[in-house]
Short mmCIF file of all heavy atoms in Angstrom, two decimals:
data_model
loop_
_atom_site.label_atom_id
_atom_site.label_comp_id
_atom_site.label_asym_id
_atom_site.label_seq_id
_atom_site.Cartn_x
_atom_site.Cartn_y
_atom_site.Cartn_z
N HIS A 1372 15.35 23.73 12.42
CA HIS A 1372 15.20 25.11 12.84
C HIS A 1372 14.48 25.89 11.75
O HIS A 1372 14.77 25.72 10.56
CB HIS A 1372 16.57 25.74 13.11
CG HIS A 1372 16.49 27.19 13.43
ND1 HIS A 1372 15.90 27.67 14.60
CD2 HIS A 1372 16.91 28.29 12.76
CE1 HIS A 1372 15.98 28.98 14.61
NE2 HIS A 1372 16.59 29.39 13.50
N ARG A 1373 13.52 26.71 12.14
CA ARG A 1373 12.76 27.51 11.20
C ARG A 1373 13.31 28.93 11.21
O ARG A 1373 13.18 29.65 12.20
CB ARG A 1373 11.28 27.51 11.61
CG ARG A 1373 10.35 28.22 10.64
CD ARG A 1373 8.91 28.12 11.17
NE ARG A 1373 7.95 28.68 10.24
CZ ARG A 1373 7.56 29.95 10.26
NH1 ARG A 1373 8.08 30.78 11.12
NH2 ARG A 1373 6.66 30.37 9.39
N ARG A 1374 13.95 29.30 10.11
CA ARG A 1374 14.54 30.63 10.02
C ARG A 1374 13.71 31.49 9.10
O ARG A 1374 13.43 31.11 7.95
CB ARG A 1374 15.97 30.51 9.48
CG ARG A 1374 16.54 31.82 8.96
CD ARG A 1374 17.97 31.66 8.57
NE ARG A 1374 18.74 31.11 9.71
CZ ARG A 1374 19.95 30.57 9.60
NH1 ARG A 1374 20.51 30.50 8.42
NH2 ARG A 1374 20.58 30.11 10.65
N VAL A 1375 13.31 32.66 9.60
CA VAL A 1375 12.52 33.58 8.79
C VAL A 1375 13.39 34.75 8.37
O VAL A 1375 13.93 35.47 9.21
CB VAL A 1375 11.30 34.12 9.59
CG1 VAL A 1375 10.49 35.05 8.71
CG2 VAL A 1375 10.44 32.96 10.08
N ASP A 1376 13.55 34.91 7.06
CA ASP A 1376 14.31 36.03 6.52
C ASP A 1376 13.33 37.10 6.04
O ASP A 1376 12.69 36.96 5.00
CB ASP A 1376 15.19 35.53 5.36
CG ASP A 1376 15.96 36.69 4.74
OD1 ASP A 1376 16.12 37.72 5.42
OD2 ASP A 1376 16.40 36.55 3.58
N GLU A 1377 13.21 38.16 6.84
CA GLU A 1377 12.29 39.25 6.49
C GLU A 1377 12.88 40.05 5.35
O GLU A 1377 13.67 40.96 5.55
CB GLU A 1377 12.08 40.17 7.71
CG GLU A 1377 11.61 39.46 8.96
CD GLU A 1377 10.12 39.14 8.93
OE1 GLU A 1377 9.45 39.51 7.94
OE2 GLU A 1377 9.63 38.52 9.89
N GLY A 1378 12.46 39.70 4.17
CA GLY A 1378 13.04 40.28 2.96
C GLY A 1378 12.79 41.74 2.82
O GLY A 1378 13.41 42.50 3.52
N PRO A 1379 12.07 42.34 2.01
CA PRO A 1379 10.63 42.30 1.84
C PRO A 1379 10.10 40.95 1.37
O PRO A 1379 9.15 40.50 1.99
CB PRO A 1379 10.37 43.41 0.83
CG PRO A 1379 11.51 44.36 1.01
CD PRO A 1379 12.68 43.54 1.46
N PRO A 1380 10.65 40.29 0.38
CA PRO A 1380 10.01 39.02 0.07
C PRO A 1380 10.33 38.04 1.17
O PRO A 1380 11.39 37.43 1.18
CB PRO A 1380 10.64 38.61 -1.26
CG PRO A 1380 11.94 39.31 -1.31
CD PRO A 1380 11.86 40.49 -0.40
N VAL A 1381 9.44 37.94 2.15
CA VAL A 1381 9.68 37.08 3.31
C VAL A 1381 9.95 35.65 2.86
O VAL A 1381 9.21 35.08 2.07
CB VAL A 1381 8.48 37.14 4.28
CG1 VAL A 1381 7.21 36.71 3.58
CG2 VAL A 1381 8.73 36.31 5.51
N ALA A 1382 11.06 35.12 3.35
CA ALA A 1382 11.44 33.76 2.96
C ALA A 1382 11.65 32.92 4.21
O ALA A 1382 12.30 33.35 5.16
CB ALA A 1382 12.70 33.78 2.13
N VAL A 1383 11.06 31.73 4.22
CA VAL A 1383 11.21 30.83 5.35
C VAL A 1383 12.14 29.69 4.94
O VAL A 1383 11.99 29.12 3.87
CB VAL A 1383 9.86 30.26 5.79
CG1 VAL A 1383 10.03 29.32 6.96
CG2 VAL A 1383 8.91 31.40 6.15
N THR A 1384 13.11 29.43 5.80
CA THR A 1384 14.07 28.38 5.49
C THR A 1384 14.13 27.38 6.64
O THR A 1384 14.19 27.77 7.80
CB THR A 1384 15.47 28.98 5.30
OG1 THR A 1384 15.41 30.04 4.35
CG2 THR A 1384 16.42 27.92 4.78
N TYR A 1385 14.07 26.12 6.28
CA TYR A 1385 14.20 25.07 7.29
C TYR A 1385 15.57 24.43 7.17
O TYR A 1385 16.04 24.15 6.06
CB TYR A 1385 13.12 24.01 7.09
CG TYR A 1385 11.73 24.53 7.37
CD1 TYR A 1385 10.93 25.01 6.35
CD2 TYR A 1385 11.23 24.55 8.66
CE1 TYR A 1385 9.65 25.51 6.61
CE2 TYR A 1385 9.95 25.04 8.93
CZ TYR A 1385 9.18 25.51 7.89
OH TYR A 1385 7.93 26.00 8.15
N GLU A 1386 16.19 24.19 8.31
CA GLU A 1386 17.51 23.55 8.29
C GLU A 1386 17.65 22.68 9.53
O GLU A 1386 16.97 22.88 10.53
CB GLU A 1386 18.62 24.59 8.25
CG GLU A 1386 18.63 25.52 9.44
CD GLU A 1386 19.62 26.67 9.28
OE1 GLU A 1386 20.64 26.47 8.62
OE2 GLU A 1386 19.34 27.77 9.81
N LEU A 1387 18.54 21.73 9.47
CA LEU A 1387 18.75 20.83 10.59
C LEU A 1387 19.46 21.54 11.73
O LEU A 1387 20.34 22.37 11.50
CB LEU A 1387 19.57 19.62 10.15
CG LEU A 1387 18.91 18.68 9.16
CD1 LEU A 1387 19.87 17.57 8.76
CD2 LEU A 1387 17.65 18.08 9.75
N THR A 1388 19.07 21.23 12.94
CA THR A 1388 19.82 21.69 14.10
C THR A 1388 20.95 20.70 14.35
O THR A 1388 21.10 19.71 13.62
CB THR A 1388 18.92 21.72 15.35
OG1 THR A 1388 18.46 20.39 15.60
CG2 THR A 1388 17.72 22.62 15.13
N GLU A 1389 21.73 20.94 15.38
CA GLU A 1389 22.80 20.01 15.69
C GLU A 1389 22.22 18.66 16.06
O GLU A 1389 22.71 17.60 15.66
CB GLU A 1389 23.65 20.55 16.85
CG GLU A 1389 24.93 19.78 17.06
CD GLU A 1389 25.55 20.06 18.42
OE1 GLU A 1389 25.50 21.23 18.86
OE2 GLU A 1389 26.06 19.11 19.04
N ARG A 1390 21.11 18.72 16.80
CA ARG A 1390 20.43 17.49 17.20
C ARG A 1390 19.98 16.71 15.97
O ARG A 1390 20.08 15.49 15.92
CB ARG A 1390 19.23 17.85 18.07
CG ARG A 1390 18.52 16.67 18.65
CD ARG A 1390 17.32 17.10 19.47
NE ARG A 1390 17.71 17.68 20.77
CZ ARG A 1390 16.84 18.06 21.70
NH1 ARG A 1390 15.56 17.95 21.49
NH2 ARG A 1390 17.28 18.56 22.84
N GLY A 1391 19.49 17.44 14.99
CA GLY A 1391 19.05 16.79 13.76
C GLY A 1391 20.22 16.24 12.96
O GLY A 1391 20.15 15.13 12.43
N ARG A 1392 21.29 17.01 12.90
CA ARG A 1392 22.46 16.55 12.14
C ARG A 1392 23.07 15.31 12.77
O ARG A 1392 23.63 14.46 12.08
CB ARG A 1392 23.50 17.67 12.07
CG ARG A 1392 23.29 18.65 10.92
CD ARG A 1392 24.51 19.51 10.70
NE ARG A 1392 24.90 20.23 11.92
CZ ARG A 1392 24.37 21.40 12.31
NH1 ARG A 1392 23.45 21.96 11.55
NH2 ARG A 1392 24.77 21.99 13.41
N ALA A 1393 22.96 15.21 14.10
CA ALA A 1393 23.53 14.06 14.80
C ALA A 1393 22.84 12.76 14.38
O ALA A 1393 23.38 11.68 14.55
CB ALA A 1393 23.42 14.26 16.31
#
Side-chain angles (χ1 to χ4, degrees):
Chain A
H1372 175 67
R1373 185 179 185 269
R1374 164 174 305 164
V1375 181
D1376 178 20
E1377 305 282 358
V1381 58
V1383 180
T1384 308
Y1385 293 95
E1386 61 188 329
L1387 293 177
T1388 61
E1389 191 196 322
R1390 186 181 286 184
R1392 274 194 304 276

